[in-house]
């Protein structure tokens, strides 16, 4: 993992990409919340409503949700950085013209789903959210907003998704045990 992260960072250096260019910026964070926050709240509300209808809320000790949310926001920022700061940026350099408007987000969704391989539920969710987050990234280039949105949506999905379909959000070969 550290070797791959080192290669990604080396690629940023070679391409002379600054943290701001990658999306680590605060200047438009408020605008992102205004523009895309209602959509995130709609997704979260829908997931909570489905969880309520299905009675699938995960029983957790009081206060645990906040620690899960905090950790998930950090993990979400890292995932969004790799997905968009690296993959979406590279895809944008390769795919040009009118096709890039749909091809880049679609391929970002495929990359994100592939990173969640063997968990069909997460692959479906991350394919869709990978496309949506790529569309937001291309317009806003703000990883902080995407990391927070990832953390909020991911936490809510973790709280309402039964393990029978979500497999405790495990991915990769470890799922097969």
């Amino acid at each position: 993992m550290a070797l791959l992260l080192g290669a990604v960072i080396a690629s940023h250096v070679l391409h002379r990409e600054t943290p701001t260019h990658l999306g680590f910026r605060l200047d438009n964070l408020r605008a992102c919340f205004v523009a895309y926050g209602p959509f995130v709240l709609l997704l979260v509300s829908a997931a909570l409503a489905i969880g309520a209808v299905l009675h699938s809320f995960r029983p957790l000790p009081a206060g645990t949700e906040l620690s899960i949310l905090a950790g998930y926001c950090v993990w979400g920022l890292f995932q969004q950085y790799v997905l968009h700061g690296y993959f979406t940026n590279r895809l944008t350099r390769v795919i040009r013209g009118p096709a890039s408007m749909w091809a880049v987000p679609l391929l970002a969704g495929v990359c994100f789903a592939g990173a969640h391989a063997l968990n069909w539920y997460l692959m479906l969710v991350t394919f869709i959210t990978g496309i949506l987050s790529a569309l937001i990234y291309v317009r806003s280039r703000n990883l902080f907003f995407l990391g927070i949105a990832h953390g909020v949506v991911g936490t809510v999905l973790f709280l309402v998704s039964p393990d029978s379909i979500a497999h405790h959000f495990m991915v990769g070969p470890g799922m097969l045990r």
Side-chain angles (χ1 to χ4, degrees):
M1 179 76 144
L3 186 62
L4 290 174
L5 181 58
V8 167
I9 292 170
S11 174
H12 294 318
V13 172
L14 287 172
H15 287 96
R16 296 189 174 127
E17 295 168 322
T18 65
T20 301
H21 171 78
L22 296 174
F24 292 105
R25 49 191 289 210
L26 297 173
D27 62 316
N28 68 342
L29 183 60
R30 185 173 194 270
C32 287
F33 275 103
V34 169
Y36 308 113
F39 179 69
V40 172
L41 289 176
L42 181 65
L43 287 175
V44 166
S45 297
L48 289 170
I50 291 168
V53 168
L54 298 177
H55 304 286
S56 62
F57 284 90
R58 187 179 302 278
L60 294 172
T64 302
E65 293 90 352
L66 288 178
S67 62
I68 291 171
L69 174 62
Y72 219 139
C73 284
V74 172
W75 181 233
L77 176 61
F78 177 76
Q79 288 187 47
Q80 294 298 311
Y81 155 67
V82 173
L83 176 61
H84 301 302
Y86 183 77
F87 285 102
T88 301
N89 280 332
R90 296 300 169 267
L91 290 167
T92 302
R93 285 178 175 238
V94 173
I95 303 169
R96 301 276 184 178
S100 68
M101 290 184 349
W102 60 268
V104 169
L106 182 66
L107 290 171
V110 169
C111 290
F112 203 35
H116 294 82
L118 300 188
N119 186 326
W120 69 268
Y121 174 74
L122 284 183
M123 289 180 72
L124 176 63
V125 168
T126 56
F127 175 68
I128 294 166
T129 57
I131 291 171
L132 295 173
S133 66
L135 290 168
I136 293 170
Y137 178 78
V138 167
R139 289 183 177 97
S140 72
R141 295 191 82 77
N142 193 303
L143 292 172
F144 292 122
F145 171 78
L146 290 170
I148 292 166
H150 184 127
V152 170
V153 171
T155 297
V156 169
L157 287 176
F158 177 76
L159 294 175
V160 302
S161 301
D163 280 339
S164 60
I165 63 166
H167 304 286
H168 208 69
F169 279 40
M170 292 179 61
V171 298
M175 268 191 68
L176 301 175
R177 293 181 197 153

